[in-house]
Amino acid sequence: MRTSARELLGQLLDTNSFVSWDRPPVTVAASPRYRDALRKAAVAAGTDESVLTGEGLLRGRRVAVIACEFGFLAGSIGVAAAERIVSAVERATELGLPLIASPTSGGTRMQEGTVAFVQMVKIAGAVAAHKSAGHPYLVYLRNPTMGGVFASWGSLGHITFAEPGALIGFLGPRVYEALYGRPFPEGVQTAENLYRRGVIDGVLTIPVFRRIAHRALSVFSGVELPDSTAALSVSDQSAVPQPQRLKPDDAAAEGIRPEGPPTGTGGNAVWQSVEISRRPQRPGIRELLRHVTQRVPLSGTGQGESDRTAVLALGRFRGQPCVVFGHDRRGQVGENTMGPAALREARRSMALAQELRLPLVLVIDTVGAALSKEAEERGLAPEIARCIADLVTLDTPTVSVLLGQGTGGGALALLPADRVLAATHGWLAPLPPEGASAIVYRDTGHAAEIAAAQRISAADLLADGVVDRIVPEFPDAADEPVDFARRMVAAIAHELAALRARPEAELLAARQARYRRLGLSGGTS
C-alpha cells in the first residue's frame, strides 16, 4: 500500500486549506518514447508531475508543503520536478513559512540521465538556504524513499519521521541484486530499523505526524497554538498542565532563590548529597519533561548512531520554547554509560538550537562517560572537546542543569552555558569520589573526604562561580518528585525568559568572559 500525494495532503492539512503553487512543468528535452511515458504517467497518477507543492493550514498554522507522487514514474525526480521543488522551497523562504517535505521516490529519473541526477544539488542548496534563514524544515518519508532523493533533500530535515513499514535507503534492492548477484539483506532498509539505528527520529502514521509536526512548529516558531496532548513519547499521550508564562515575581513563589537554600559543606553533608543523588527513585530528565508542554521526542544523531543513555526533545518550559538534551539516568546501567554517539547527539541538539534560533537546555545527570575499547576507538575524548567548544561559542541562549550526578568529561561536555542551575544535591567532579580516592589513597575509603576537599557540592559550586542558582530539594527530590520537577521546570523557564530578552551577541560575549575568568575569583555575574 502506498499513500498518494493527495491522500497525504488530505490527512496532514486542515480540511480544504491546501492551495497549489504549481505551474505547468517546464519543458525538457525528451524522446518520443519518453514523452509518451510522461503522458501515460499523468493519466495513471492524476498529476502533471511527480511532485505537488503549495501551502495550507496545519491546525491553523500556515505551512508550505512538498509532496511526491509515486504513481508518476515511481516518484522519480527530473529537471521539471526539481524546478518545481526548488521554486516551492524558495517561495517558502521568501514568505518565511515552515516547510514540510514528504518524499516518496525511486530516485533520479533515468530517462533524463546525469542532468536529472545533479538536480539533487540544486534542491539541497535551496533547502540549506531555507534553513540558514532560520525557517523550519520537517521531513516525512513515505514508502518508498530511495536513492538521490533520500541522499539529498530527504535527509536534511530538522526533524525526520517516516511512514510505518516504509522502504528507505540509498541503493535499491533490485539494483543491488543486479550489480552483485545476491539479494540485499532483509530488514535493513526499513523505517523501523533506521529509527532504531538513529538515522530518523521515529515511525508514525500521518495523523500522528500531524500532531507531532504541530508541536514541533509550536516550539520552532515561538507561537504556541492549543494542543491538549503533549506527551514525551508518541505512545504516551497523557494530559499535562497547560503552558503559562513565568513572570519575574513568580520565582519567589516557586521557592527559587539565587543564593539557594542553606546547605552544609562539611564532609558528611557533601557525601550525603552524593548518596542522595544516586537514589534509584530520584527524578531525572524524563520526569522533568512530563511537566513540559509541546514535547516532541527526537532520536539519534541522524547519522546512524543512537545512544539510549541520553534524551533529545523539543519542548516548552512554561511557554518558553527550546531544544532539550540530557543524560537519562534510567539508561545508565552498569558499564552502559554515555558514549560517543550520545555526544554526537548532543552536538545535533546544539546545531538544531542554533539553526532554529532556539534556546538550548542541557541536563547533567551522569555516572560518567563510557570507559571501553569501543568508546576510545570511536572518538569519545574528541567528541567531549567538540561539545565544550561548540557550547562556548553557540549563538543562542543556553541553560545547563546539574540535576544529579555530574561525573567526568561526560558532565563537563554539557556544562558551559549562559546560566547554570543545580539541584541541592547535584554535584560535579572530575571522577566519582571513589575513583579520586583510589588515585590519591589507593583505596575507596576516603571518598567522602575527597568529595569535600574537591568542593564538588552544589553549595561549593555556587560559591566558586560554577553554578548560578540552586533549586531546592525539600529535603530530597526522590521524596517529592513531582513538586521538585515543577520547581526545576519553573526555574528553567525563568532563566530562559531572561536570556531571550538579551541580545545574542551580548550573551556570547558574557559567556566567553565567564569561562575565561573561572577560578580566578569566586562567583560570577
Side-chain angles (χ1 to χ4, degrees), residues 179-204:
L179 292 175
Y180 301 109
R182 60 183 183 274
F184 194 81
E186 291 186 9
V188 174
Q189 295 176 316
T190 67
E192 289 76 8
N193 184 56
L194 295 185
Y195 166 57
R196 287 192 295 269
R197 300 293 179 178
V199 178
I200 62 176
D201 291 307
V203 180
L204 309 170

Side-chain angles (χ1 to χ4, degrees), residues 205-220:
T205 61
I206 297 171
V208 178
F209 175 71
R210 170 179 157 88
R211 294 201 296 270
I212 291 296
H214 166 73
R215 294 177 199 163
L217 293 174
S218 172
V219 176
F220 292 160

